[in-house]
Amino acid sequence: MDAIWTRAAELPRFPPLKRDLQTDVLLIGGGLAGLLCAWRLTREGVNCALLEADRLCGGVTGHTTAKVTAQHGLFCHTLLRRFGPGKARLYWEANQAALERYRALGREIDCEFQERDAYVYHRSRRDLLQREAKACLRLGIPAELVSSLPLPFPTAGAVRLPRQAQVHPLKLLAALSRELPVFEETRVTELLPGQAVTASGNLVTANKMVIATHFPFLNQHGSYFLKLYQHRSYVLALENAPDPGGMYVDGAKTGLSFRTAENRLLLGGGGHRTGKPGGGWAELEALARRWYPQAKIAARWAAQDCMSLDGVPYIGPYSRNTPGLYVATGFSKWGMTSAMAAAELLAALLQGRESPYAPLFSPSRSILRPQLAANGWEAARSLLTPRGPRCPHMGCALRWNPQEHSWDCPCHGSRFGETGTLLDNPATGNLP
């Protein structure tokens, strides 16, 4: 079943590119990050064009839960430990500024922008919540520790961040994209210095280019196949379930999330690394039967997120060896504010302006993080697996996903349907 967003929003249609094209900035990928960047550049008078391989928002963007919040889990303590107070505060400021940009758009566009408090809770570890609240206080973030929550199970409390928001993502992007220079059904198959080649053989010449394809498809540079892995999560839209009055995420990696939309409760969870076993919809259905026995499942869908090594996105120059090429990826489950922050940062960099956020989000920052070893281990184990179909991206052994009836790659997250049709990148073609 499709996400509920597709039922109430009709995105504009754009023609495929059927000629050679010259532009100042070429954006590759018509999801949230690519569209927001194109919108920002167009507003600033930059000559740009956006190419989408299929339809706009047909991938990850159409399957978000669209929580617009600067609270990204138990992030303050983690960022303080990894980066220190200066960069931790910059991360907060970039995402809070993104929230305010959405707030301004919500006054202009009918996108169901609704202000909500955001909560990150924990089932048992109040000490983690206390530690997070202290870290927020140190950074000057107006969060507070609360004890009582309207959730259907006991908790140790939550850290509450007031005046965050939720939106209807496709209504917003339908309005923003109407006047943008977009070409749909135009797949880029090759990148050359200052040029992109499409599947139909057309050549796009650009001074600068941005890869906003969720997982970057250029393997020769940047080491994104080491710096990223993908994670799947699942959502049920429940009718006749109570409104919890806010947006909730678990501080534990395998926990649940809650928000309402269109008078339905969106229950998220069952997540796992792509290509690995996990709870999926079966886990959520069992919990829904236990906690909301009168509820009816109105829709179900799954999302896939690119996870960075340190929890911070990669936004900026693609690599040191690719002048004029930029990237936005690794949003680590927080794509709404991260994509807006990416649009703001890239708009500055593409026009030669400095930004205080550039070093924080730099894709060339250190990769010496514990997750690097985990990514390397998964790749080595999968490459040495002797049986099963192989992913055309880098040759890893695919694993069958019985809940979604798909072949999934545990290395980098490519997914294929039962007959081999490509579902998710970084692979760029179907299975043989």
Side-chain angles (χ1 to χ4, degrees):
M1 300 171 68
D2 289 331
I4 59 173
W5 319 123
T6 60
R7 305 175 186 181
E10 185 174 350
L11 289 162
R13 296 299 301 260
F14 296 92
L17 182 65
K18 296 183 178 180
R19 56 183 173 84
D20 291 349
L21 179 69
Q22 186 167 359
T23 185
D24 290 336
V25 177
L26 173 64
L27 301 130
I28 305 171
L32 182 63
L35 283 171
L36 287 178
C37 193
W39 166 76
R40 187 68 180 154
L41 291 171
T42 302
R43 281 172 61 94
E44 296 189 18
V46 177
N47 180 28
C48 65
L50 186 149
L51 306 185
E52 163 55 40
D54 192 6
R55 290 289 320 280
L56 292 183
C57 305
V60 175
T61 296
H63 297 86
T64 177
T65 53
K67 295 186 284 289
V68 184
T69 175
Q71 183 193 58
H72 295 173
L74 297 173
F75 74 108
C76 283
H77 173 78
T78 300
L79 293 180
L80 276 171
R81 177 171 50 83
R82 289 177 179 171
F83 299 108
K87 287 188 175 180
R89 176 70 191 187
L90 281 174
Y91 183 87
W92 152 260
E93 290 176 355
N95 285 281
Q96 185 65 21
L99 167 62
E100 296 306 322
R101 179 72 68 181
Y102 281 110
R103 197 186 307 277
L105 288 172
R107 291 191 286 266
E108 303 172 10
I109 298 170
D110 179 16
C111 60
E112 299 180 17
F113 182 94
Q114 297 174 317
E115 195 171 275
R116 291 286 188 273
D117 290 351
Y119 299 81
V120 56
Y121 67 89
H122 205 286
R123 301 286 292 268
S124 60
R125 297 288 303 276
R126 189 168 178 85
D127 60 314
L128 298 182
L129 300 174
Q130 292 171 331
R131 188 177 67 181
E132 178 69 11
K134 289 179 181 178
C136 290
L137 180 64
R138 182 180 175 187
L139 294 175
I141 297 172
E144 65 172 346
L145 188 63
V146 297
S147 297
S148 180
L149 300 177
L151 297 178
F153 46 77
T155 72
V159 177
R160 182 180 74 93
L161 186 62
R163 301 194 65 231
Q164 304 300 288
Q166 56 190 35
V167 298
H168 191 300
L170 296 193
K171 284 186 176 181
L172 173 69
L173 293 174
L176 293 182
S177 63
R178 283 196 177 92
E179 304 302 324
L180 296 181
V182 173
F183 298 92
E184 292 183 310
E185 300 177 12
T186 304
R187 181 180 295 277
V188 173
T189 57
E190 185 180 4
L191 289 181
L192 306 170
Q195 294 180 319
V197 183
T198 70
S200 58
N202 295 117
L203 194 66
V204 181
T205 302
N207 297 325
K208 297 176 181 178
M209 294 185 283
V210 176
I211 295 181
T213 56
H214 188 57
F215 198 114
F217 62 87
L218 185 63
N219 283 332
Q220 295 95 322
H221 302 284
S223 301
Y224 292 95
F225 61 92
L226 289 174
K227 296 193 295 191
L228 292 169
Y229 71 99
Q230 299 204 63
H231 190 274
R232 290 196 70 71
S233 55
Y234 302 81
V235 183
L236 296 181
L238 301 176
E239 294 179 346
N240 302 320
D243 183 349
M247 306 180 301
Y248 300 81
V249 295
D250 196 333
K253 290 184 177 180
T254 57
L256 304 170
S257 72
F258 302 80
R259 68 153 285 193
T260 55
E262 300 180 359
N263 296 317
R264 298 182 178 100
L265 176 67
L266 305 188
L267 174 63
H272 56 88
R273 180 172 175 141
T274 304
K276 306 284 282 186
W281 289 308
E283 175 184 321
L284 294 180
E285 289 168 0
L287 295 176
R289 288 192 297 269
R290 182 195 311 171
W291 295 331
Y292 309 112
Q294 304 303 317
K296 175 185 176 183
I297 298 174
R300 77 183 71 216
W301 67 92
Q304 181 145 301
D305 295 280
C306 278
M307 313 296 287
S308 72
L309 295 175
D310 54 19
V312 174
Y314 301 120
I315 306 167
Y318 197 92
S319 75
R320 293 187 176 94
N321 300 317
T322 51
L325 185 64
Y326 296 79
V327 70
T329 187
F331 295 163
S332 301
K333 295 183 177 291
W334 301 106
M336 294 300 297
T337 53
S338 294
M340 184 66 82
E344 298 291 313
L345 174 55
L346 290 173
L349 297 179
L350 289 165
Q351 297 178 80
R353 301 195 303 264
E354 294 185 357
S355 169
Y357 305 118
L360 170 66
F361 293 112
S362 171
S364 297
R365 66 184 183 268
S366 173
I367 64 172
L368 299 179
R369 302 290 179 185
Q371 186 61 46
L372 178 66
N375 290 352
W377 166 250
E378 285 295 340
R381 185 168 66 168
S382 187
L383 286 168
L384 294 173
T385 299
R387 300 179 182 177
R390 318 298 293 194
C391 179
H393 174 237
M394 294 189 74
C396 293
L398 300 175
R399 297 182 183 176
W400 177 247
N401 179 341
Q403 292 209 53
E404 299 182 78
H405 298 276
S406 61
W407 291 100
D408 299 353
C409 176
C411 296
H412 309 108
S414 297
R415 299 179 59 249
F416 305 86
E418 290 180 275
T419 59
T421 303
L422 178 65
L423 301 176
D424 288 294
N425 70 347
T428 57
N430 299 332
L431 292 179

